[in-house]
Amino acid sequence: MAAHGRSALRDLFDESPTPHIAHPPRTHHRDFYVATDGSFRKSGGGLGAVIETRDGTRVARIATADTPPDNNVAEYRALHLGLDVLAARAPRDATVGVLVDHDTLASNVNSTVLAANHPDGKPPRPLSVPSATGYHWRGIQARLNGFDAVRAAQIDSDQNPAHPLANAPHQYEHVNNEPDRCILPEPPKSTVHEFPPPSRADRNGTGGRASD
């Protein structure tokens, strides 16, 4: 259950692993969170996405039918769609948390982000992208470079709020009629008045401010 005043997506992101990238608490706070999922069936699949700000305000939900060649490609198409929708509603200096239930996709996203900051442009591990994704992976890469910072977390499919949207797009098609929103999250609360940890406050037995 999400904590009061916090986004369900932010809670999932905070509690989930981010492949190849250390996850210290101070970096958890993203401006926006986007969860995506793709489904594949011989009778037709779907793409789903849910976008929220860090304070839990919903920005958009998408549920659309699609005909991907397989489930792997469906996941890439869904992320491309979600990032496109977010890019149309968020400033370029936004920080973004991506949530997907596809471990290789999460790994590829974080490896790409790390490669962009590497002097030689090398990812920490070789990327493994299905050839059938076509321009969708290129589109994802362009969107990743369009934000100030992006990090992907791997979540379980039963925790992914985009999962039902992707698996039953016709049942959830009403979410596509929700009004467009361009919402900036509330600024994070200042931590300037936080108390130092006991190990520092009690140093030297004075109970006062410890020296650096």
XYZ file of all heavy atoms in Angstrom, residues 40-45 66-67 170:
70
model
N 1.429 -9.954 -25.460
C 1.378 -10.593 -26.779
C 0.450 -11.794 -26.726
O 0.533 -12.621 -25.811
C 2.776 -11.058 -27.200
C 2.755 -12.022 -28.349
C 2.488 -11.590 -29.641
C 2.972 -13.378 -28.136
C 2.464 -12.492 -30.700
C 2.954 -14.277 -29.182
C 2.694 -13.831 -30.476
N -0.456 -11.833 -27.677
C -1.313 -12.997 -27.884
C -1.511 -13.159 -29.385
O -1.476 -12.179 -30.134
C -2.678 -12.810 -27.207
C -2.618 -12.766 -25.685
C -4.036 -12.674 -25.103
N -4.016 -12.625 -23.649
C -3.876 -11.525 -22.942
N -3.720 -10.363 -23.578
N -3.881 -11.555 -21.624
N -1.733 -14.393 -29.810
C -1.972 -14.616 -31.233
C -3.213 -13.875 -31.714
O -3.304 -13.479 -32.871
C -2.109 -16.116 -31.508
C -0.805 -16.887 -31.342
C -0.977 -18.347 -31.709
C 0.349 -19.102 -31.570
N 0.215 -20.538 -31.918
N -4.147 -13.679 -30.792
C -5.373 -12.965 -31.149
C -5.216 -11.452 -31.057
O -6.147 -10.709 -31.358
C -6.517 -13.409 -30.226
O -6.179 -13.156 -28.867
N -4.021 -11.003 -30.637
C -3.779 -9.570 -30.513
C -3.354 -9.197 -29.107
O -3.897 -9.719 -28.135
N -2.384 -8.320 -29.003
C -1.858 -7.923 -27.709
C -2.251 -6.506 -27.358
O -3.214 -5.949 -27.884
N -2.507 -3.684 -29.710
C -1.328 -3.702 -30.562
C -1.125 -5.124 -31.081
O -1.701 -6.080 -30.540
C -0.095 -3.237 -29.774
C 1.085 -2.929 -30.678
O 0.866 -2.383 -31.766
O 2.223 -3.241 -30.284
N -0.307 -5.252 -32.107
C -0.033 -6.577 -32.678
C 1.472 -6.803 -32.763
O 2.040 -6.895 -33.860
C -0.668 -6.714 -34.072
O -0.202 -5.630 -34.904
C -2.185 -6.672 -33.993
N -9.059 -3.379 -24.460
C -10.426 -3.000 -24.823
C -11.275 -2.757 -23.578
O -12.140 -1.879 -23.561
C -11.059 -4.082 -25.695
C -10.356 -4.275 -27.004
N -10.311 -3.282 -27.975
C -9.646 -5.328 -27.500
C -9.620 -3.728 -29.020
N -9.200 -4.954 -28.753
